[in-house]
Amino acid sequence: IGIMVGLKVSKSAVDRNKVRRWLRETIKQELPDIKNGFDIVILTNPKIKDKDLQEIKKALASSLKRAGLYR
């Protein structure tokens, strides 16, 4: 699983790393339910910096379901 947080999210490395940490934490929690054998790349939207951790979890779960990556 790859996570890409670009400069459009924030010019501050601190903010980009915070988003990366939140996404990694969410992935760790969802990992047992994700199908094996797939490479996943997560690209972030600049609006993600205004979201809290719960909203990020819901959005990631929704995206994985739409992609058919849940067991």
Side-chain angles (χ1 to χ4, degrees):
I1 296 177
I3 299 172
M4 297 178 67
V5 181
L7 287 173
K8 289 185 180 181
V9 171
S10 176
K11 298 276 187 214
S12 167
V14 173
D15 293 338
R16 291 193 311 272
N17 288 331
K18 182 175 88 171
V19 170
R20 241 182 243 116
R21 283 192 309 270
W22 282 2
L23 285 168
R24 265 191 253 128
E25 179 62 30
T26 303
I27 294 282
K28 284 180 192 177
Q29 293 174 2
E30 298 292 329
L31 197 58
D33 299 327
I34 297 175
K35 290 181 182 178
N36 292 330
F38 290 94
D39 294 330
I40 300 171
V41 177
I42 298 171
L43 304 174
T44 56
N45 187 325
K47 296 177 187 177
I48 196 169
K49 66 183 174 186
D50 301 327
K51 307 293 183 192
D52 63 358
L53 186 56
Q54 294 301 325
E55 291 174 323
I56 292 174
K57 286 180 182 182
K58 287 181 187 177
L60 184 63
S62 172
S63 296
L64 290 172
K65 285 178 187 174
R66 279 186 285 148
L69 294 176
Y70 272 118
R71 290 183 188 181

